[in-house]
Amino acid sequence: DTEVTQTPKHLVMGMTNKKSLKCEQHMGHRAMYWYKQKAKKPPELMFVYSYEKLSINESVPSRFSPECPNSSLLNLHLHALQPEDSALYLCASRPVGQGGRSYNSPLHFGNGTRLTVT
Amino acid sequence: LAKTTQPISMDSYEGQEVNITCSHNNIATNDYITWYQQFPSQGPRFIIQGYKTKVTNEVASLFIPADRKSSTLSLPRVSLSDTAVYYCLVGASNTGTASKLTFGTGTRLQVTL
């Protein structure tokens, strides 16, 4: 079990569907991340939220739309995906330093959503 | 961002010590070095983190030379359950905002009897 919960575990969607992936954590972490991982490849950073604001977008296509409605929840809205978008989507969180103080803490990952686009 | 380089794969027998080296030649002053373990269809799991010299916890040791341009993860007496992919990350420290953390290629460790 992990402290970062991702739902659903598996998702199959057609190219015209709209779906959402959900990520939740209650550790008080104010930085949340979306990664995409293809088979036998490392996780690839997509988005980073800091204090519920989008701080990093790694030039991800607009068919992926992230949302951070509160400090515990992170969503990834999917629309008009392509078969090559099939992958494991991982959410992670970590604390954020405050007051300019350097702070390092490891990422806490969920177990991902296995997405298949048909 | 400091780019990391690791061996693509390693093989070991059960009970042996395994050392996986990561190269990060352009590591910045504030960067920490963090290692993760990932099993198939699971998220990566934190193993160990360090800044310099040696760090040890209940599962691994991390050796970092004085120039910090590389690091070595040491797994004592591996078992079959240590078969996984191991990633070395070099990340900027947080200073009030979330920082970018990018994975390298990782090392696929296969442990056999």
Side-chain angles (χ1 to χ4, degrees):
Chain A
D1 285 348
T2 71
E3 295 167 303
V4 176
T5 304
Q6 290 189 244
T7 54
K9 287 185 170 35
H10 301 275
L11 177 63
V12 179
M13 62 185 289
M15 289 190 284
T16 57
N17 290 160
K18 284 186 182 180
K19 297 285 185 185
S20 297
L21 309 185
K22 179 179 168 182
C23 172
E24 198 162 2
Q25 57 86 16
H26 297 286
M27 296 177 282
H29 292 172
R30 302 304 291 276
M32 295 187 78
Y33 297 69
W34 279 116
Y35 286 86
K36 171 183 175 179
Q37 187 173 29
K38 303 281 275 184
K40 298 193 185 304
K41 297 289 186 185
E44 201 178 309
L45 183 64
M46 300 175 74
F47 302 104
V48 183
Y49 273 82
S50 177
Y51 292 99
E52 297 83 72
K53 288 186 171 30
L54 183 66
S55 60
I56 297 173
N57 177 343
E58 289 287 270
S59 302
V60 178
S62 59
R63 58 185 184 269
F64 295 92
S65 175
E67 178 198 21
C68 191
N70 60 56
S71 59
S72 300
L73 194 55
L74 184 66
N75 297 321
L76 186 63
H77 303 298
L78 314 171
H79 173 55
L81 294 195
Q82 304 296 311
E84 58 265 29
D85 296 320
S86 298
L88 181 67
Y89 287 83
L90 293 162
C91 171
S93 70
R94 70 192 289 219
V96 179
Q98 296 183 17
R101 180 173 61 91
S102 294
Y103 188 93
N104 264 281
S105 180
L107 291 165
H108 295 247
F109 280 88
N111 280 326
T113 294
R114 175 73 61 190
L115 174 68
T116 303
V117 182
T118 60
Chain B
L1 290 175
K3 183 182 173 182
T4 60
T5 304
Q6 300 174 233
I8 296 294
S9 64
M10 295 181 70
D11 295 308
S12 178
Y13 292 108
E14 201 174 39
Q16 289 189 327
E17 178 185 76
V18 170
N19 296 310
I20 305 174
T21 297
C22 179
S23 172
H24 28 80
N25 288 320
N26 58 339
I27 188 169
T29 304
N30 289 338
D31 284 346
Y32 276 66
I33 300 151
T34 311
W35 284 81
Y36 293 84
Q37 175 192 56
Q38 188 179 25
F39 298 112
S41 297
Q42 292 187 22
R45 294 285 175 266
F46 169 78
I47 301 174
I48 198 165
Q49 182 182 71
Y51 183 81
K52 61 181 178 181
T53 63
K54 178 183 173 183
V55 179
T56 297
N57 63 22
E58 61 276 9
V59 298
S61 294
L62 178 59
F63 299 92
I64 305 168
D67 67 5
R68 304 198 331 119
K69 293 185 185 300
S70 66
S71 58
T72 300
L73 173 72
S74 181
L75 303 172
R77 297 179 300 281
V78 294
S79 65
L80 295 176
S81 62
D82 292 316
T83 294
V85 179
Y86 292 83
Y87 292 101
C88 155
L89 265 74
V90 176
S93 61
N94 297 101
T95 51
T97 186
S99 53
K100 198 179 219 185
L101 292 169
T102 305
F103 284 79
T105 54
T107 298
R108 192 169 298 273
L109 173 65
Q110 179 69 52
V111 181
T112 54
L113 291 173

